[in-house]
Every structure is written in structure tokens, then in C-alpha cells.
Amino acid sequence: AQTVTQSQPEMSVQEAETVTLSCTYDTSESDYYLFWYKQPPSRQMILVIRQEAYKQQNATENRFSVNFQKAAKSFSLKISDSQLGDAAMYFCAYRRFSGGGADGLTFGKGTHLIIQP
Amino acid sequence: GAGVSQSPSNKVTEKGKDVELRCDPISGHTALYWYRQSLGQGLEFLIYFQGNSAPDKSGLPSDRFSAERTGGSVSTLTIQRTQQEDSAVYLCASSLVDREAFFGQGTRLTVV
């Protein structure tokens, strides 16, 4: 079964600074997707960014970018120019390429990001 | 609708009562997931529906939990004889196959 590990239960960053959230995963698959989701106090899980494993280029969405290291099975999220609205729980997630099922979408335990004004 | 809709938003129930939680997925999404998120915890997979295939129930924690999906659309998660440890946020998500999941706002269940 796939596992996703987020080793940082909590991170704190000053507003306008850059922060990197770590994620590692374990899989025997060669094709898969990786995601970062954000969960603010409203509870709604919001997709931040996605990465297809077959793409070597790191995904970028505005201030959010990833560092995808397939050989190392590492998928970190970088948030540039941190804003107060970025404060939330961040979950790293894995999905195998085809289908779903119990291991179709696996989440890490999350990192609580605090933005200090 | 435009997004995944869950109801009720909050539910308080007495221990031993049955509860039903509803999820209305994004139209056209064939995959539907239920997750449970206990306080300060990650997401625990409960059950997965894909099209007309038999659901993957491997994550259901006990036989008190069941779910159905009618007409390939709306899903209901039922918890019978609720216990205090069932208190959690129950999240529903839907997706197209091999695409990212979109989540509802969840139902916060409190068993007193």
C-alpha cells in the first residue's frame, strides 16, 4: 500500500517570506499523481497544485510551486510571498494513475501553516 | 451544482442514535469518496464508489457504517448506533477517473 509522510506537524513563517512544506511518499507504481490540498478553518479541502509523475517539469501555480524528486519520492511545496490567507492545514496526497479504491487517494497527516504578520 | 454539496453542515446526535449524512457530487463525476477526519488528524478513507462498480468498502471501521450511492449520483453515509468515537468531520469528494478530487465542506458530527 502507498503511504504519504509529512514530517512537519507545524510550520511558521513571516508574512511575505517563503516557506517549504515537505512530503515524502512510498509507492511501487511508476505512474501516479501527487497533490497538495489546503484546508482552512472552513473545513473545505481546496486543491492547491497537482503533479503528474511522468512530467519532469515541476508544477507551478502563481505563488505555489513544487519540487518533485521522483527518484527520492519527495514532493515538497514552496509558498512564495506568504500571505495571511495562506494560513491553513496543508495535506500532501498521492493517487495512482488508474482507478481509485482504498489506495487511490492517500493523504499525509498534514502540516499546520502559521503566517505571522 | 457547481461544487460538492454535503448536508447537514453540522449534526449533534445522542449516543445510540442512527445518523445519515448526504453528499451531492459534482455532476458528471463518476468517482465518489467518503473520508473521516478526526480532531487534528489526517483523512481516513472510508468508502469509494466508481461508476456502476461495486463500492470499495475496505475503509469502513465497523459494520455500523454503511453507504449507498443512488443512480450514480447522490450518496448517503449511514452510521447506526452512534458512539462517541464516531465524532468527527465527514468529508465527501468526487472526481473524474484519474483526475483530482473536489471536496465538499464536510459534516461535523458530534455524538453526545
Side-chain angles (χ1 to χ4, degrees), chain A residues 33 35 37 39 42-45 47 50 52 91 95-102 104-109, chain B residues 9-10 33 35 37 41-43 45 48 56 58 89 91 95-101 103-108:
Chain A
Y33 300 94
F35 308 93
Y37 281 90
Q39 187 180 40
S42 68
R43 297 199 308 247
Q44 177 116 38
M45 296 281 282
L47 179 67
R50 61 175 272 163
E52 290 88 348
F91 292 95
R95 182 172 194 167
R96 65 183 185 188
F97 182 70
S98 58
L105 192 56
T106 304
F107 287 85
K109 292 191 180 297
Chain B
S9 180
N10 293 281
Y33 296 84
Y35 287 86
Q37 186 176 28
Q41 298 298 310
L43 278 74
F45 167 81
Y48 164 75
D56 181 341
S58 58
V89 173
L91 291 165
S95 74
L96 296 170
V97 176
D98 288 341
R99 301 294 298 181
E100 59 268 27
F103 284 79
Q105 289 191 306
T107 295
R108 181 179 298 280

Side-chain angles (χ1 to χ4, degrees), chain A residues 5-45:
Chain A
T5 302
Q6 292 179 250
S7 59
Q8 305 152 318
E10 187 173 280
M11 292 283 285
S12 180
V13 65
Q14 292 283 343
E15 190 177 5
E17 296 292 308
T18 295
V19 63
T20 298
L21 309 184
S22 300
C23 173
T24 59
Y25 58 95
D26 187 25
T27 183
S28 59
E29 305 280 344
S30 58
D31 291 326
Y32 49 87
Y33 300 94
L34 295 164
F35 308 93
W36 278 98
Y37 281 90
K38 168 185 175 182
Q39 187 180 40
S42 68
R43 297 199 308 247
Q44 177 116 38
M45 296 281 282

Side-chain angles (χ1 to χ4, degrees), chain B residues 3 7 9-10 18 20-21 24 28 30 32 35 43 46-48 54 56 61-63 69 81 83 87-88 91 96 105:
Chain B
S7 61
S9 180
N10 293 281
D18 298 352
E20 286 189 351
L21 312 180
D24 199 342
T30 55
L32 187 148
Y35 287 86
L43 278 74
L46 296 178
I47 190 168
Y48 164 75
D56 181 341
S62 78
D63 58 8
R69 188 178 184 190
R81 305 181 302 281
Q83 304 294 314
S87 296
L91 291 165
L96 296 170
Q105 289 191 306

